[in-house]
Amino acid sequence: MIPTILSIAGTDPSGGAGIQADLKAFSALGGYGTTVITALVAQTTTGVSEVHDVPPEFVRSQLDTLLTDVRVDAVKIGMLSSTEIIEVVAAAIDTYRLPNVVVDPVMVAKSGDRLLAADAVEALRTVLLPRADLITPNLPEAADLLGEEEATDLDRMRDQAERLLALGPRRVLLKGGHLSGPTSTDLLLSADGDVETLTADRVNTTNTHGTGCTLSSAIATLRPQRPTWSQAVRDAKDYLTEALRHADKLDIGKGKGPVHHFHAWWGN
Ligand SMILES: Nc1ncnc2c1ncn2[C@@H]1O[C@H](COP(=O)(O)OP(=O)(O)O)[C@@H](O)[C@H]1O
Ligand SMILES: Cc1ncc(COP(=O)(O)O)c(N)n1
């Protein structure tokens, strides 16, 4: 059966991040995509010019309308913008017993613009993280969630991943893309005590818009199709590395361009 994946996230008219990236990853990896939109974002490869939050009661209406009809097999949660929207999404996870919940704790766009209000970080930490099967913070997000300095090496990443796990998610994938070096290494820790290091060769490109969205969506899509979280995360990282490798085939915008959801079947 084709898995049905739900993205709860904001938009990106340039098609590289947010809901638009999520749908591309769902389709490319054999899923059927559904969406609940939390914020309309006027953004492109060079940055964010304006954010228009969807009223929280309308986020609830989208969730209720969808989930009373459609069964979903996994959920990817991205930009949530405000405390009120976080609370609505957390309630839906409980009410509909949503399975395979992947939370990408989106806070700031690559351009430096905020996608989550500073006063909503507390709600993300205390209300949403404990409901997640997996969280996928990058290094700045991990530091913000913990109120600490950003990790600068793998040892400090390991310590921070442990502290993130203590906030209540079942698993943490701490992404090391913001470090430099010949490889890009992420750490996967689970509440069962498993620790895995995932390493990929660093791709030499500035087209990295949407890497986090793509990776979390790929994990959510693959989880129902793989026997373990570990296998889903590993295959999703391979998919993302390929999407980065093919990013320079695109010529989108003047800033940090998007990754390319390469389709082996078409050969492009
Ligand atoms: N240049 C790169 N080459 C290969 N992998 C990368 C590169 N940049 C980031 N990644 C990988 O992309 C994923 C997301 O990276 P990261 O930049 O840490 O998060 P975010 O996109 O949320 O800021 C991680 O798996 C990271 O290891
Ligand atoms: C609506 C939305 N959600 C998330 C991101 C972060 O993107 P990235 O994957 O590059 O961190 C973004 N720029 N816009």
Side-chain angles (χ1 to χ4, degrees):
M1 186 74 89
I2 306 281
T4 302
I5 320 300
L6 167 60
S7 167
I8 304 173
T11 64
D12 174 9
S14 72
I19 289 273
Q20 284 83 347
D22 298 348
L23 284 173
K24 291 172 193 183
F26 295 165
S27 294
L29 290 165
Y32 175 85
T34 62
T35 62
V36 164
I37 293 178
T38 56
L40 304 173
V41 186
Q43 66 169 318
T44 183
T45 62
T46 51
V48 176
S49 52
E50 215 176 326
V51 175
H52 189 64
D53 278 0
V54 172
E57 56 277 18
F58 194 71
V59 175
R60 183 184 296 120
S61 172
Q62 293 177 74
L63 285 161
D64 288 340
T65 304
L66 175 74
L67 294 169
T68 49
D69 180 40
V70 176
R71 182 211 76 249
V72 301
D73 300 305
V75 186
K76 174 256 155 86
I77 299 175
M79 174 181 179
L80 293 173
S81 219
S82 70
T83 300
E84 293 74 20
I85 295 178
I86 290 171
E87 286 168 350
V88 163
V89 169
I93 294 173
D94 295 349
T95 304
Y96 298 99
R97 297 174 196 279
L98 297 178
N100 298 322
V101 174
V102 178
V103 174
D104 186 15
V106 171
M107 293 183 189
V108 177
K110 291 251 153 53
S111 51
D113 302 280
R114 283 212 77 92
L115 298 174
L116 180 75
D119 63 11
V121 176
E122 179 64 16
L124 187 63
R125 182 172 31 228
T126 58
V127 178
L128 198 62
L129 263 49
R131 291 177 163 83
D133 291 299
L134 173 70
I135 63 168
T136 63
N138 63 20
L139 295 183
E141 289 158 354
D144 213 342
L145 285 167
L146 293 168
E148 298 177 6
E149 293 293 303
E150 242 177 88
T152 47
D153 58 37
L154 264 183
D155 286 342
R156 291 187 178 88
M157 276 177 68
R158 168 75 195 260
D159 291 346
Q160 289 201 340
E162 297 278 5
R163 286 194 284 282
L164 287 166
L165 206 51
L167 298 175
R170 250 74 74 213
R171 292 161 200 85
V172 174
L173 179 70
L174 181 54
K175 303 175 295 190
H178 292 239
L179 296 181
S180 51
T183 56
S184 189
T185 300
D186 307 338
L187 292 177
L188 177 62
L189 270 67
S190 85
D192 302 331
D194 300 333
V195 180
E196 292 182 58
T197 305
L198 290 82
T199 299
D201 287 340
R202 186 170 287 277
V203 180
N204 183 17
T205 178
T206 53
N207 293 332
T208 54
H209 183 56
T211 45
C213 302
T214 299
L215 180 65
S216 53
S217 293
I219 296 168
T221 314
L222 290 173
R223 178 62 192 101
Q225 306 181 75
R226 296 290 184 272
T228 61
W229 279 96
S230 167
Q231 200 55 55
V233 171
R234 285 176 179 280
D235 289 352
K237 186 167 168 76
D238 287 349
Y239 174 76
L240 172 67
T241 307
E242 274 308 289
L244 275 161
R245 283 204 184 105
H246 291 275
D248 291 350
K249 288 180 171 176
L250 297 172
D251 182 16
I252 310 291
K254 301 179 188 69
K256 283 190 193 316
V259 302
H260 181 45
H261 297 256
F262 176 73
H263 284 270
W265 191 50
W266 290 107
N268 62 358

